[in-house]
Amino acid sequence: GQQLLLNYCFGHPKSSLLFYPYSPGVNLINHSPTNPNVALRWSTSNQHRGKDWVDNWSYDDIEQSQETGLMMEFVALRDIHRGEEITLDYGHEWETAWNDHVRGWYPVAGAEQYTPSYVMDDVVTLLRTEEEQRSHPYPDNIITSCFYRYSEGKEEAQNIGGSNQNPSKRETAVVLWKMTRGLFELNNLRPCQVIKREKGVGKDEKQVYYTAVIRNRYGLNRAERIPKGETHIVTRIPRMAFRFTDKIYTTDQHLENAFRHFIGIPDDIFPEGWMDLA
């Protein structure tokens, strides 16, 4: 289906061109069909490369361009008071599409069982082990993930069933989780399976620690990838190092009947030469 990104693009119903804005804040301007306080226009600034594109470039020129250059401005239609929300009229096509969506919307099958990952993080204190999940599984859209850097633990790993002299050949490696600077950055979050839960001892008796098998995920740099064939086990992981994450394309914003439509560029400023669907 169409991606969520479409909702933040600007376009015209008679053109196949879509323009995605990348300036901060512009995607936070909501729709108001009756009382908008800003309107769109092509920028009059001389500080951007595409200032003459609207008047001189054809549809083919825009389609084939490999560079950014166009700039649009939000212009106030009246005085805007401090604290007042900035709103824009997204256009008749968008308004019609939204009303049709609201009238025809229905819950997808299984919606009553859906639980987003952030809710799971708020309500689940004790994580279930892999064995416990056989009888009491998490929702189908959820996986457990852990903040961990393979590059920091691989040299300290205790090899089991492999060669200490050749880490690339080991079958199972066991390493102690440790806190390091920057560990809780999102690029260090990776899938894992909890295989054991245990209480601390002594001063740590009120704490709960977990042992987990750490997995690779798409997008990891080479230094963070666990070698193929190695089972990488990390022990004494605190609860704070775990997050529930949604499986790809399972959040409510990716439902088959979710709303998708571009924000309309007004007829009076959209170049006729770009209307390839007219």
Side-chain angles (χ1 to χ4, degrees), residues 23-220:
S23 296
V26 298
N27 291 332
L28 302 178
I29 299 177
N30 287 321
H31 169 61
S32 174
T34 57
N35 191 32
N37 52 23
V38 298
L40 277 173
R41 75 178 183 189
W42 298 109
S43 176
T44 58
S45 170
N46 291 322
Q47 303 301 312
H48 63 104
R49 186 167 51 244
K51 57 184 179 295
D52 61 341
W53 291 7
V54 175
D55 296 323
N56 300 324
W57 278 34
S58 68
Y59 170 89
D60 290 337
D61 292 331
I62 294 291
E63 184 185 40
Q64 295 170 17
S65 175
Q66 299 296 313
E67 59 183 358
T68 58
L70 284 173
M71 184 182 294
M72 302 191 80
E73 297 172 339
F74 293 97
V75 182
L77 298 174
R78 56 175 172 78
D79 290 342
I80 300 174
H81 303 291
R82 183 189 297 272
E84 181 181 358
E85 181 182 8
I86 296 176
T87 57
L88 172 75
D89 183 358
Y90 286 4
H92 175 71
E93 292 279 342
W94 190 98
E95 178 80 9
T96 300
W98 172 253
N99 289 334
D100 290 344
H101 171 76
V102 172
R103 283 193 295 268
W105 186 87
Y106 57 90
V108 297
E112 63 277 6
Q113 279 85 40
Y114 173 75
T115 305
S117 59
Y118 63 86
V119 171
M120 294 289 288
D121 272 326
D122 286 342
V123 302
V124 176
T125 303
L126 289 178
L127 300 176
R128 300 170 199 157
T129 65
E130 188 176 12
E131 182 177 353
E132 290 170 337
Q133 289 183 58
R134 293 191 182 102
S135 58
H136 194 192
Y138 292 128
D140 288 341
N141 60 295
I142 295 294
I143 61 172
T144 49
S145 297
C146 178
F147 286 100
Y148 178 71
R149 286 194 187 105
Y150 175 74
S151 58
E152 294 179 347
K154 62 181 178 180
E155 299 303 328
E156 301 177 16
Q158 174 188 353
N159 299 329
I160 301 176
S163 169
N164 287 324
Q165 286 71 38
N166 191 351
S168 65
K169 298 295 183 181
R170 61 192 174 202
E171 298 172 4
T172 300
V174 180
V175 63
L176 183 68
W177 186 92
K178 63 180 179 180
M179 172 76 77
T180 56
R181 177 184 287 273
L183 179 62
F184 283 87
E185 295 176 2
L186 284 177
N187 61 300
N188 296 318
L189 189 63
R190 51 198 302 159
C192 67
Q193 291 175 284
V194 175
I195 58 176
K196 184 179 180 181
R197 181 180 62 243
E198 58 186 339
K199 288 186 177 181
V201 295
K203 294 180 180 180
D204 273 353
E205 63 181 356
K206 294 184 179 180
Q207 300 296 323
V208 176
Y209 295 98
Y210 299 88
T211 298
V213 178
I214 307 297
R215 306 295 188 191
N216 288 328
R217 62 165 173 79
Y218 179 79
L220 286 173

